[in-house]
mmCIF file of all heavy atoms in Angstrom:
data_model
loop_
_atom_site.group_PDB
_atom_site.id
_atom_site.type_symbol
_atom_site.label_atom_id
_atom_site.label_comp_id
_atom_site.label_asym_id
_atom_site.label_seq_id
_atom_site.Cartn_x
_atom_site.Cartn_y
_atom_site.Cartn_z
ATOM 1 N N ARG A 1 -13.944 25.233 -19.084
ATOM 2 C CA ARG A 1 -14.984 26.312 -19.196
ATOM 3 C C ARG A 1 -14.420 27.739 -18.913
ATOM 4 O O ARG A 1 -13.535 27.965 -18.271
ATOM 5 C CB ARG A 1 -16.250 26.005 -18.335
ATOM 6 C CG ARG A 1 -15.933 26.085 -16.805
ATOM 7 C CD ARG A 1 -17.133 25.732 -16.009
ATOM 8 N NE ARG A 1 -16.916 25.837 -14.494
ATOM 9 C CZ ARG A 1 -17.775 25.316 -13.698
ATOM 10 N NH1 ARG A 1 -18.952 24.867 -14.143
ATOM 11 N NH2 ARG A 1 -17.566 25.513 -12.391
ATOM 12 N N GLN A 2 -15.151 28.634 -19.588
ATOM 13 C CA GLN A 2 -14.635 30.078 -19.358
ATOM 14 C C GLN A 2 -15.914 30.995 -19.298
ATOM 15 O O GLN A 2 -16.714 31.021 -20.261
ATOM 16 C CB GLN A 2 -13.801 30.554 -20.588
ATOM 17 C CG GLN A 2 -13.247 31.940 -20.288
ATOM 18 C CD GLN A 2 -12.144 32.187 -21.357
ATOM 19 O OE1 GLN A 2 -12.059 31.564 -22.287
ATOM 20 N NE2 GLN A 2 -11.259 33.148 -20.977
ATOM 21 N N ALA A 3 -16.085 31.696 -18.211
ATOM 22 C CA ALA A 3 -17.079 32.590 -18.006
ATOM 23 C C ALA A 3 -16.605 34.006 -18.316
ATOM 24 O O ALA A 3 -15.336 34.346 -18.306
ATOM 25 C CB ALA A 3 -17.601 32.521 -16.608
ATOM 26 N N PRO A 4 -17.463 34.986 -18.687
ATOM 27 C CA PRO A 4 -16.973 36.359 -19.016
ATOM 28 C C PRO A 4 -16.154 36.894 -17.807
ATOM 29 O O PRO A 4 -16.646 36.865 -16.566
ATOM 30 C CB PRO A 4 -18.283 37.055 -19.217
ATOM 31 C CG PRO A 4 -19.311 36.049 -19.755
ATOM 32 C CD PRO A 4 -18.845 34.880 -18.978
ATOM 33 N N GLY A 5 -15.081 37.497 -18.052
ATOM 34 C CA GLY A 5 -14.253 38.088 -17.169
ATOM 35 C C GLY A 5 -13.431 37.164 -16.231
ATOM 36 O O GLY A 5 -12.690 37.575 -15.418
ATOM 37 N N LYS A 6 -13.502 35.766 -16.564
ATOM 38 C CA LYS A 6 -12.704 34.798 -15.890
ATOM 39 C C LYS A 6 -11.822 34.058 -16.755
ATOM 40 O O LYS A 6 -12.087 33.962 -17.969
ATOM 41 C CB LYS A 6 -13.679 33.830 -15.167
ATOM 42 C CG LYS A 6 -14.609 34.514 -14.148
ATOM 43 C CD LYS A 6 -15.364 33.501 -13.348
ATOM 44 C CE LYS A 6 -14.629 32.666 -12.526
ATOM 45 N NZ LYS A 6 -15.453 31.648 -11.700
ATOM 46 N N GLU A 7 -10.727 33.431 -16.185
ATOM 47 C CA GLU A 7 -9.853 32.725 -16.988
ATOM 48 C C GLU A 7 -10.490 31.327 -17.196
ATOM 49 O O GLU A 7 -11.386 30.826 -16.638
ATOM 50 C CB GLU A 7 -8.596 32.431 -16.251
ATOM 51 C CG GLU A 7 -8.598 31.674 -14.964
ATOM 52 C CD GLU A 7 -7.327 31.589 -14.260
ATOM 53 O OE1 GLU A 7 -6.310 32.045 -14.822
ATOM 54 O OE2 GLU A 7 -7.222 30.870 -13.169
ATOM 55 N N ARG A 8 -10.008 30.691 -18.403
ATOM 56 C CA ARG A 8 -10.504 29.335 -18.755
ATOM 57 C C ARG A 8 -9.952 28.336 -17.615
ATOM 58 O O ARG A 8 -8.806 28.340 -17.336
ATOM 59 C CB ARG A 8 -9.966 28.947 -20.094
ATOM 60 C CG ARG A 8 -10.631 27.718 -20.742
ATOM 61 C CD ARG A 8 -10.221 27.583 -22.069
ATOM 62 N NE ARG A 8 -10.674 28.686 -22.992
ATOM 63 C CZ ARG A 8 -10.423 28.675 -24.238
ATOM 64 N NH1 ARG A 8 -9.934 27.638 -24.940
ATOM 65 N NH2 ARG A 8 -10.911 29.816 -24.963
ATOM 66 N N GLU A 9 -10.963 27.519 -17.113
ATOM 67 C CA GLU A 9 -10.661 26.617 -15.977
ATOM 68 C C GLU A 9 -10.970 25.226 -16.375
ATOM 69 O O GLU A 9 -11.874 24.899 -17.110
ATOM 70 C CB GLU A 9 -11.338 27.128 -14.786
ATOM 71 C CG GLU A 9 -12.844 26.961 -14.876
ATOM 72 C CD GLU A 9 -13.568 27.294 -13.502
ATOM 73 O OE1 GLU A 9 -12.891 27.429 -12.538
ATOM 74 O OE2 GLU A 9 -14.721 27.293 -13.608
ATOM 75 N N PHE A 10 -10.188 24.269 -15.764
ATOM 76 C CA PHE A 10 -10.435 22.924 -15.868
ATOM 77 C C PHE A 10 -11.573 22.501 -15.240
ATOM 78 O O PHE A 10 -11.889 22.817 -14.103
ATOM 79 C CB PHE A 10 -9.144 22.121 -15.436
ATOM 80 C CG PHE A 10 -9.297 20.671 -15.490
ATOM 81 C CD1 PHE A 10 -9.089 19.900 -16.496
ATOM 82 C CD2 PHE A 10 -9.664 19.924 -14.282
ATOM 83 C CE1 PHE A 10 -9.136 18.468 -16.625
ATOM 84 C CE2 PHE A 10 -9.795 18.612 -14.307
ATOM 85 C CZ PHE A 10 -9.625 17.864 -15.470
ATOM 86 N N VAL A 11 -12.271 21.540 -15.973
ATOM 87 C CA VAL A 11 -13.584 20.947 -15.407
ATOM 88 C C VAL A 11 -13.385 19.480 -15.066
ATOM 89 O O VAL A 11 -13.685 19.082 -13.971
ATOM 90 C CB VAL A 11 -14.805 21.194 -16.332
ATOM 91 C CG1 VAL A 11 -16.019 20.453 -15.780
ATOM 92 C CG2 VAL A 11 -15.044 22.643 -16.564
ATOM 93 N N ALA A 12 -13.059 18.688 -16.114
ATOM 94 C CA ALA A 12 -12.898 17.253 -15.976
ATOM 95 C C ALA A 12 -12.040 16.660 -17.093
ATOM 96 O O ALA A 12 -11.966 17.321 -18.089
ATOM 97 C CB ALA A 12 -14.266 16.599 -16.037
ATOM 98 N N GLY A 13 -11.374 15.571 -16.907
ATOM 99 C CA GLY A 13 -10.546 14.872 -17.858
ATOM 100 C C GLY A 13 -10.750 13.378 -17.781
ATOM 101 O O GLY A 13 -11.128 12.816 -16.766
ATOM 102 N N ILE A 14 -10.407 12.726 -18.919
ATOM 103 C CA ILE A 14 -10.575 11.286 -18.932
ATOM 104 C C ILE A 14 -9.372 10.703 -19.869
ATOM 105 O O ILE A 14 -9.081 11.440 -20.894
ATOM 106 C CB ILE A 14 -11.958 10.915 -19.515
ATOM 107 C CG1 ILE A 14 -12.098 9.350 -19.371
ATOM 108 C CG2 ILE A 14 -12.151 11.341 -20.920
ATOM 109 C CD1 ILE A 14 -13.615 8.892 -19.608
ATOM 110 N N ASN A 15 -8.763 9.630 -19.444
ATOM 111 C CA ASN A 15 -7.748 9.050 -20.306
ATOM 112 C C ASN A 15 -8.233 8.286 -21.429
ATOM 113 O O ASN A 15 -9.510 8.126 -21.542
ATOM 114 C CB ASN A 15 -6.813 8.231 -19.399
ATOM 115 C CG ASN A 15 -7.318 6.903 -18.953
ATOM 116 O OD1 ASN A 15 -8.631 6.731 -18.915
ATOM 117 N ND2 ASN A 15 -6.476 5.929 -18.617
ATOM 118 N N TRP A 16 -7.350 7.749 -22.319
ATOM 119 C CA TRP A 16 -7.875 7.155 -23.544
ATOM 120 C C TRP A 16 -8.581 5.878 -23.317
ATOM 121 O O TRP A 16 -9.494 5.635 -24.207
ATOM 122 C CB TRP A 16 -6.639 6.880 -24.412
ATOM 123 C CG TRP A 16 -5.723 5.675 -23.962
ATOM 124 C CD1 TRP A 16 -4.591 5.809 -23.186
ATOM 125 C CD2 TRP A 16 -5.889 4.398 -24.256
ATOM 126 N NE1 TRP A 16 -4.155 4.617 -22.920
ATOM 127 C CE2 TRP A 16 -4.800 3.706 -23.617
ATOM 128 C CE3 TRP A 16 -6.855 3.580 -25.112
ATOM 129 C CZ2 TRP A 16 -4.702 2.265 -23.648
ATOM 130 C CZ3 TRP A 16 -6.590 2.212 -25.196
ATOM 131 C CH2 TRP A 16 -5.587 1.556 -24.525
ATOM 132 N N SER A 17 -8.382 5.114 -22.286
ATOM 133 C CA SER A 17 -9.030 3.853 -22.054
ATOM 134 C C SER A 17 -10.305 4.069 -21.260
ATOM 135 O O SER A 17 -11.178 3.262 -21.096
ATOM 136 C CB SER A 17 -8.136 2.816 -21.351
ATOM 137 O OG SER A 17 -7.806 3.355 -20.071
ATOM 138 N N GLY A 18 -10.501 5.235 -20.621
ATOM 139 C CA GLY A 18 -11.748 5.641 -19.916
ATOM 140 C C GLY A 18 -11.633 4.996 -18.413
ATOM 141 O O GLY A 18 -12.676 5.088 -17.812
ATOM 142 N N ASP A 19 -10.562 4.460 -18.020
ATOM 143 C CA ASP A 19 -10.494 3.989 -16.668
ATOM 144 C C ASP A 19 -9.922 4.971 -15.581
ATOM 145 O O ASP A 19 -9.599 4.557 -14.472
ATOM 146 C CB ASP A 19 -9.641 2.652 -16.641
ATOM 147 C CG ASP A 19 -8.240 2.805 -17.094
ATOM 148 O OD1 ASP A 19 -7.820 3.958 -17.538
ATOM 149 O OD2 ASP A 19 -7.498 1.714 -17.149
ATOM 150 N N SER A 20 -9.623 6.134 -16.110
ATOM 151 C CA SER A 20 -9.107 7.162 -15.114
ATOM 152 C C SER A 20 -9.689 8.449 -15.459
ATOM 153 O O SER A 20 -9.680 8.931 -16.598
ATOM 154 C CB SER A 20 -7.469 7.226 -15.201
ATOM 155 O OG SER A 20 -7.029 8.092 -14.299
ATOM 156 N N THR A 21 -10.185 9.123 -14.360
ATOM 157 C CA THR A 21 -10.864 10.468 -14.527
ATOM 158 C C THR A 21 -10.442 11.367 -13.485
ATOM 159 O O THR A 21 -10.087 10.980 -12.443
ATOM 160 C CB THR A 21 -12.529 10.302 -14.545
ATOM 161 O OG1 THR A 21 -12.860 9.769 -13.272
ATOM 162 C CG2 THR A 21 -13.001 9.447 -15.699
ATOM 163 N N VAL A 22 -10.454 12.662 -13.897
ATOM 164 C CA VAL A 22 -10.125 13.818 -12.911
ATOM 165 C C VAL A 22 -11.144 14.861 -12.940
ATOM 166 O O VAL A 22 -11.540 15.330 -14.023
ATOM 167 C CB VAL A 22 -8.674 14.352 -13.192
ATOM 168 C CG1 VAL A 22 -8.359 15.423 -12.260
ATOM 169 C CG2 VAL A 22 -7.659 13.211 -13.155
ATOM 170 N N TYR A 23 -11.555 15.330 -11.759
ATOM 171 C CA TYR A 23 -12.541 16.337 -11.684
ATOM 172 C C TYR A 23 -12.060 17.639 -10.979
ATOM 173 O O TYR A 23 -11.270 17.484 -9.948
ATOM 174 C CB TYR A 23 -13.820 15.934 -11.069
ATOM 175 C CG TYR A 23 -14.523 14.883 -11.889
ATOM 176 C CD1 TYR A 23 -14.313 13.493 -11.627
ATOM 177 C CD2 TYR A 23 -15.452 15.241 -12.855
ATOM 178 C CE1 TYR A 23 -14.996 12.553 -12.273
ATOM 179 C CE2 TYR A 23 -16.055 14.267 -13.641
ATOM 180 C CZ TYR A 23 -15.803 12.860 -13.346
ATOM 181 O OH TYR A 23 -16.507 11.934 -14.111
ATOM 182 N N SER A 24 -12.595 18.810 -11.317
ATOM 183 C CA SER A 24 -12.345 19.971 -10.508
ATOM 184 C C SER A 24 -13.018 19.816 -9.104
ATOM 185 O O SER A 24 -14.081 19.298 -9.181
ATOM 186 C CB SER A 24 -12.806 21.173 -11.254
ATOM 187 O OG SER A 24 -12.782 22.235 -10.353
ATOM 188 N N ASP A 25 -12.414 20.211 -8.081
ATOM 189 C CA ASP A 25 -13.037 20.155 -6.737
ATOM 190 C C ASP A 25 -14.245 21.012 -6.472
ATOM 191 O O ASP A 25 -15.048 20.713 -5.699
ATOM 192 C CB ASP A 25 -11.968 20.552 -5.641
ATOM 193 C CG ASP A 25 -10.820 19.559 -5.502
ATOM 194 O OD1 ASP A 25 -10.983 18.387 -5.898
ATOM 195 O OD2 ASP A 25 -9.693 20.038 -5.102
#
């Protein structure tokens, strides 16, 4: 996601099989 005046930041990710996810703190 990217808000005005801010850099694009990671929110969440998921691998191809769906058994591993990562989230921003």
